[in-house]
Amino acid sequence: MVNITMAIEKKSFIFLLAYVWLQSAACQPVQDTRTPIYIAGLFPLTGNSLIKDAHPPAAQLALNHINAREDILPGYKLFMIYNDSKCDPGVAMRAFVDQMVSPTVKQVIFISGCSILAEPVSQMSLHWNLLSVVVAQSPAFSNKKSYPYTFRNDIHDGAAAEPKVQLMREYGWKKVAILYELRPIFSLAMKNMEALLLEDGIEIIASETFQDAPERQVQRLKDIDARIIVASCYQEYARRIFCEAYKLKMYGSRYVWMLIGWYNEKWWEVEDTNCTIDELSNAVALYVSTQGYAFDRSNGITINQKNTLQTEWEYLNYIRNMGNLRALEDWPFTYDSIWAIALALHNSSEYFISNNMSKRLEHFTYEDDEMRSVYLGFMQKTNFRGLSGEVLFDQYQDRIGLMKIEQLAYDGYEKMIAVYDQKSKEIHWVEKDKLVFTGLSAPLDGAEVIFENVVISKALFYSVVAVTCAGIIVAVAFLVVSIYFRNSRVMKLSSPNINNVISVGAVICYVAVIILGVDMGIDISTTTFGRFCLASAWLLSLGFSLVFGGLFAKSWRVYKVFANRSKKKIVIKDKHLLALIAGLIVIDIITLSVWTILDPMEFPEVNYPVQKFADIDTVIYRKRITCRSPNQFYYQAAIYICKGMLLLYGTIIAYESSAIGIPVTIVIQNDVNAAFAIESALIIVNTTATMLLVFVPKFVLLKQGEVQISVALQGQSGMSGLGSTATATQNVDRNVIQILRKELKEAKDREENLQKENDQLKKKPEEKF
């Protein structure tokens, strides 16, 4: 019994030893025979960075998923050797060089965050023939002359302008102001913003820049009444901007501020301005921001054969014991970047094999341009579904992806309200109410401008037309009477031909007044309006020359007769006066023709601001279509000088014989009705008064049966060649009587002298006999 027990125990012990050996053999790690390949990495683990240390775990998780796949890089195992860049260009450059001079050859370099160091490191990587993949905002990477081998797997600030412009289109904002810090990262982004705005027909009412003091620029935006403002700067300057905005009351229901989206959470709660945190909280309320959307929440299957929620859960478990990591929202960009690199290397390896090339990934050297070109080509063809959505690059090797639109809620946290798809150029709203505003509706992009067409009152215009038509009838009546009684002695003595010229000139002046009142208030085209405008200038000038030229000619003849101190008789016939008037008309025609041909009329819209507001957001402007030529002043000056000289000389000679009046023109610029009324009244009154003073005295004499003239001409038989005389006013008709009396006296004197001579001749024969 004892032996049996001992035998059983001995066998059990042997089986136990065998089991332990087998288990220990099973626990031995299988040797990994895959060839290691390496990529370099730079992460801002410390220093002044908003990304911090959440991205290296994302990169490592991607490496784990890649290396676990047998169909990705078969025969290879991908590793990353990374350093802390401290968000310092000097530290980053030294770390990069150290990696390059180490024996381990790197296939690609990945740079996470801090554009200030990503730019110089990417440029230096060209000397090692390396591709670089960056997660950084600077628009400088879009310049392929400077960064031919750089791929950006992030939405840069320049592209983030696209959803802002879409929002402006959505809400009908057509005027916007831009304010940005004068640094390349912001300047280049704002240049792209300006191009998009101009392309979309949105007016940039101001583009203000600053280096270290934004307060003055904010005041300028206030002065021009900017309402929709896009600001781009680091967050310490953003606090100063909103502090000044609070003081100027540039917040609330009338304003929309659009910012970049990568600020710290509650970035305004830092006491480095002369505003309190509560004041800044009021100023920043409801601002809108845009940035790349790192997480596609559609929960589809991604390149790692899992959906986005599964991968996110795995990542959160992976970093659970790593402390409070920052920039957790952006880690999918790093995760997808490592996948993009792995796929490019995988496709390159397949290319080498399928083309029977002897090159393999492990053969890459920093001098191998051919392998680098293959890597570059497959990186450009990148297209897969990642955690951040569809991963692909545009012609500038910039990521085409999703962007999120966020708005600061009243609780002090940004809330995503929409997603912008850069590929389809569409906004997908998350919130039903879209943007939230303090007022009942979206703010206006500025004071609402209401234009009132300033036209001449129809009542005034038709009243003037009625008066001028009456004047035309009177002038035509005077002309008809003058022609009918042309053989009358009264008419002959008052120069009937010149009177007829004055009547015709009066009719032309009346017609010019009617045309002067034609504007766009009457339903006519701009072309027709231009013709009327040109006709008024011609008619008024010619009519003036006929009316006042006729008066001037008659006054001049009276003056010449009175001024004659010699016994020699002066004969001035109507043809001489008509020639004088014709000379004035020729001058007008030449001047107006040159004006019309060389300086044609234009029809600009003139806007007149009115100091009247219907409410705080509405301003009314008066708009009037005018006709003017570029050099109108000089031609008008020439015409006015000629007419002025005519009136001045006419006044002088009239004073020598009898006084005449000078019309005064008053032009009111801003009240079109008052201007038209006064100009029309002056022309009508002067024209009508001239006709009445010229023709009424003659009609009175005609009615009296020419008694006064018959008496005045007794004893004038035998006189010849006096012809017709001219008058400027009723006093000139009196001068006709004076001239006749003077000539009658001279005739009587001559008759007496002849009688004396005749008597003397009769006495001489008597003396002879």
Side-chain angles (χ1 to χ4, degrees):
M1 188 70 177
V2 174
N3 291 333
I4 294 173
T5 301
M6 291 181 63
I8 293 174
E9 290 178 353
K10 185 175 180 180
K11 289 181 179 180
S12 299
F13 180 73
I14 293 172
F15 283 122
L16 178 62
L17 289 176
Y19 175 78
V20 171
W21 181 81
L22 290 173
Q23 288 295 325
S24 62
C27 292
Q28 288 291 331
V30 178
Q31 186 176 2
D32 196 336
T33 60
R34 292 180 294 179
T35 303
I37 53 175
Y38 300 89
I39 57 178
L42 290 174
F43 294 90
L45 306 180
T46 58
N48 184 23
S49 170
L50 301 179
I51 295 178
K52 296 300 182 185
D53 51 356
H55 284 226
Q60 189 58 54
L61 181 63
L63 291 172
N64 293 345
H65 290 166
I66 292 166
N67 290 328
R69 292 274 294 273
E70 295 181 357
D71 58 334
I72 303 297
L73 289 172
Y76 293 100
K77 187 173 184 179
L78 188 60
F79 293 92
M80 172 182 281
I81 300 176
Y82 65 86
N83 297 90
D84 181 7
S85 67
K86 298 183 179 180
C87 205
D88 184 305
V91 174
M93 295 283 278
R94 181 169 182 175
F96 171 73
V97 173
D98 289 343
Q99 288 220 37
M100 294 301 100
V101 298
S102 69
T104 305
V105 176
K106 315 303 186 302
Q107 306 281 332
V108 181
I109 180 170
F110 172 73
I111 307 170
S112 177
C114 295
S115 297
I116 194 173
L117 68 87
E119 292 179 15
V121 172
S122 294
Q123 286 187 321
M124 180 171 282
S125 67
L126 298 177
H127 300 288
W128 275 270
N129 213 25
L130 279 182
L131 299 188
S132 58
V133 179
V134 302
V135 176
Q137 299 286 332
S138 174
F141 294 116
S142 300
N143 184 352
K144 292 300 103 181
K145 290 183 178 180
S146 300
Y147 302 95
Y149 307 149
T150 299
F151 291 80
R152 184 217 311 275
N153 189 30
D154 195 358
I155 307 300
H156 63 89
D157 288 338
E162 294 181 24
K164 291 184 175 75
V165 175
Q166 286 283 4
L167 284 177
M168 295 173 194
R169 186 184 299 118
E170 180 84 13
Y171 287 94
W173 294 323
K174 290 296 183 180
K175 294 188 295 183
V176 63
I178 294 174
L179 174 64
Y180 60 95
E181 185 179 348
L182 202 57
R183 293 177 183 270
I185 185 174
F186 305 117
S187 300
L188 294 173
M190 287 300 100
K191 293 300 180 185
N192 187 61
M193 164 71 84
E194 291 176 359
L196 290 175
L197 291 173
L198 293 175
E199 181 181 342
D200 211 61
I202 298 175
E203 179 186 0
I204 303 172
I205 61 175
S207 182
E208 298 288 338
T209 63
F210 66 90
Q211 286 187 322
D212 52 10
E215 288 78 8
R216 186 175 50 155
Q217 285 73 18
V218 177
Q219 178 65 58
R220 289 178 184 170
L221 298 184
K222 174 69 174 181
D223 293 340
I224 64 172
D225 195 27
R227 307 288 184 86
I228 313 302
I229 305 169
V230 179
S232 184
C233 59
Y234 286 121
Q235 57 191 23
E236 56 266 28
Y237 288 112
R239 288 189 287 271
R240 294 179 60 176
I241 288 173
F242 279 98
C243 180
E244 187 67 16
Y246 178 83
K247 296 176 183 177
L248 298 175
K249 300 187 182 303
M250 295 176 64
Y251 63 95
S253 61
R254 298 173 62 193
Y255 294 91
V256 174
W257 287 86
M258 295 186 178
L259 309 178
I260 51 183
W262 40 263
Y263 290 165
N264 288 340
E265 190 174 273
K266 294 195 174 183
W267 52 269
W268 62 91
E269 293 186 355
V270 178
E271 296 181 350
D272 58 356
T273 67
N274 54 6
C275 292
T276 65
I277 292 178
D278 287 340
E279 290 172 341
L280 286 176
S281 298
N282 289 331
V284 302
L286 300 180
Y287 74 74
V288 179
S289 66
T290 58
Q291 66 171 326
Y293 187 33
F295 226 119
D296 180 7
R297 296 293 178 180
S298 62
N299 200 29
I301 301 300
T302 68
I303 187 67
N304 64 11
Q305 299 178 341
K306 303 175 183 178
N307 62 41
T308 54
L309 292 180
Q310 290 174 324
T311 307
E312 183 182 22
W313 182 255
E314 186 176 354
Y315 172 77
L316 293 176
N317 286 331
Y318 187 70
I319 65 172
R320 180 170 296 172
N321 298 322
M322 294 185 179
N324 184 22
L325 304 183
R326 299 201 185 169
L328 296 181
E329 291 185 354
D330 292 339
W331 68 268
F333 283 137
T334 294
Y335 180 91
D336 289 343
S337 297
I338 303 304
W339 266 101
I341 294 171
L343 292 176
L345 294 175
H346 170 80
N347 291 328
S348 298
S349 177
E350 294 293 320
Y351 175 81
F352 297 145
I353 295 173
S354 62
N355 286 277
N356 297 319
M357 299 175 64
S358 60
K359 293 179 179 292
R360 296 293 182 267
L361 297 182
E362 64 269 24
H363 298 157
F364 176 74
T365 65
Y366 299 137
E367 293 80 23
D368 196 328
D369 291 336
E370 184 180 13
M371 292 188 70
R372 185 261 304 152
S373 296
V374 174
Y375 292 173
L376 180 65
F378 283 109
M379 276 296 296
Q380 291 171 339
K381 297 176 182 178
T382 298
N383 191 342
F384 66 92
R385 185 177 181 83
L387 296 181
S388 58
E390 187 177 6
V391 181
L392 68 160
F393 301 101
D394 62 15
Q395 68 270 29
Y396 302 107
Q397 296 167 192
D398 288 329
R399 170 69 184 275
I400 300 174
L402 305 175
M403 284 174 269
K404 61 180 177 179
I405 302 172
E406 295 180 310
Q407 186 174 30
L408 185 68
Y410 286 111
D411 60 3
Y413 292 93
E414 290 186 339
K415 182 179 181 181
M416 187 173 71
I417 57 175
V419 175
Y420 175 74
D421 189 334
Q422 198 177 12
K423 185 177 181 180
S424 65
K425 308 294 184 184
E426 294 178 350
I427 291 180
H428 303 283
W429 293 97
V430 176
E431 294 295 326
K432 180 180 179 181
D433 296 331
K434 301 183 179 181
L435 292 179
V436 178
F437 303 105
T438 304
L440 298 177
S441 60
L444 301 174
D445 56 10
E448 183 181 2
V449 178
I450 299 176
F451 288 100
E452 291 182 350
N453 289 321
V454 178
V455 296
I456 296 172
S457 167
K458 289 187 177 181
L460 173 62
F461 175 70
Y462 291 130
S463 298
V464 171
V465 169
V467 173
T468 52
C469 287
I472 291 172
I473 293 172
V474 172
V476 172
F478 286 168
L479 178 62
V480 171
V481 172
S482 178
I483 294 174
Y484 183 79
F485 291 100
R486 62 185 179 276
N487 294 322
S488 169
R489 186 173 297 175
V490 172
M491 288 300 178
K492 284 184 177 181
L493 291 175
S494 62
S495 303
N497 293 327
I498 306 303
N499 291 340
N500 295 342
V501 169
I502 293 174
S503 295
V504 173
V507 172
I508 293 175
C509 287
Y510 285 132
V511 174
V513 170
I514 296 175
I515 295 178
L516 191 65
V518 174
D519 62 8
M520 300 306 291
I522 302 175
D523 190 15
I524 58 174
S525 65
T526 304
T527 303
T528 304
F529 172 66
R531 291 170 181 168
F532 276 113
C533 185
L534 190 62
S536 66
W538 276 77
L539 292 178
L540 194 56
S541 182
L542 295 174
F544 182 92
S545 294
L546 291 174
V547 173
F548 290 94
L551 289 176
F552 169 76
K554 296 177 74 174
S555 298
W556 175 74
R557 182 160 66 181
V558 172
Y559 169 73
K560 294 296 289 183
V561 172
F562 271 113
N564 180 31
R565 302 304 181 194
S566 65
K567 293 184 178 182
K568 185 177 180 181
K569 189 175 182 179
I570 298 178
V571 178
I572 302 176
K573 297 183 179 181
D574 281 357
K575 64 180 181 179
H576 301 128
L577 303 183
L578 292 173
L580 178 61
I581 297 172
L584 297 175
I585 297 298
V586 169
I587 293 174
D588 280 347
I589 292 174
I590 292 174
T591 304
L592 293 170
S593 298
V594 172
W595 184 1
T596 303
I597 296 172
L598 299 184
D599 196 35
M601 290 289 183
E602 297 176 352
F603 313 104
E605 288 187 356
V606 179
N607 297 326
Y608 303 95
V610 179
Q611 300 300 320
K612 176 182 177 183
F613 296 87
D615 54 60
I616 195 170
D617 272 341
T618 304
V619 60
I620 302 174
Y621 285 88
R622 296 190 303 163
K623 179 181 67 174
R624 176 171 173 79
I625 296 179
T626 60
C627 59
R628 62 184 61 181
S629 60
N631 300 306
Q632 176 173 319
F633 171 79
Y634 302 103
Y635 293 99
Q636 285 182 332
I639 293 174
Y640 291 158
I641 289 173
C642 292
K643 307 301 182 187
M645 292 176 62
L646 176 64
L647 290 176
L648 179 63
Y649 186 58
T651 302
I652 294 174
I653 63 176
Y655 177 77
E656 295 293 333
S657 56
S658 181
I660 65 172
I662 303 176
V664 179
T665 301
I666 302 174
V667 179
I668 300 176
Q669 293 292 338
N670 292 330
D671 193 335
V672 63
N673 288 312
F676 175 64
I678 292 176
E679 290 174 1
S680 301
L682 287 172
I683 297 171
I684 293 171
V685 168
N686 280 277
T687 304
T688 305
T690 301
M691 285 196 307
L692 294 176
L693 292 173
V694 169
F695 289 99
V696 170
K698 298 167 182 55
F699 296 160
V700 171
L701 291 176
L702 286 172
K703 187 177 181 180
Q704 292 176 354
E706 302 178 332
V707 175
Q708 296 181 12
I709 299 299
S710 298
V711 172
L713 293 178
Q714 288 180 359
Q716 192 187 353
S717 57
M719 289 174 48
S720 62
L722 175 62
S724 316
T725 56
T727 100
T729 63
Q730 186 178 6
N731 293 326
V732 177
D733 289 311
R734 295 173 182 173
N735 291 329
V736 172
I737 304 300
Q738 294 175 6
I739 293 171
L740 295 176
R741 289 173 177 172
K742 177 181 177 183
E743 293 185 351
L744 181 59
K745 183 177 181 302
E746 291 176 351
K748 288 181 178 180
D749 290 341
R750 286 195 296 272
E751 184 178 358
E752 290 177 357
N753 291 334
L754 289 173
Q755 187 64 39
K756 289 178 182 181
E757 291 178 358
N758 187 35
D759 292 341
Q760 289 177 358
L761 290 174
K762 288 180 179 181
K763 288 179 181 181
K764 285 183 179 181
E766 293 177 356
E767 291 177 358
K768 184 176 180 180
F769 291 104

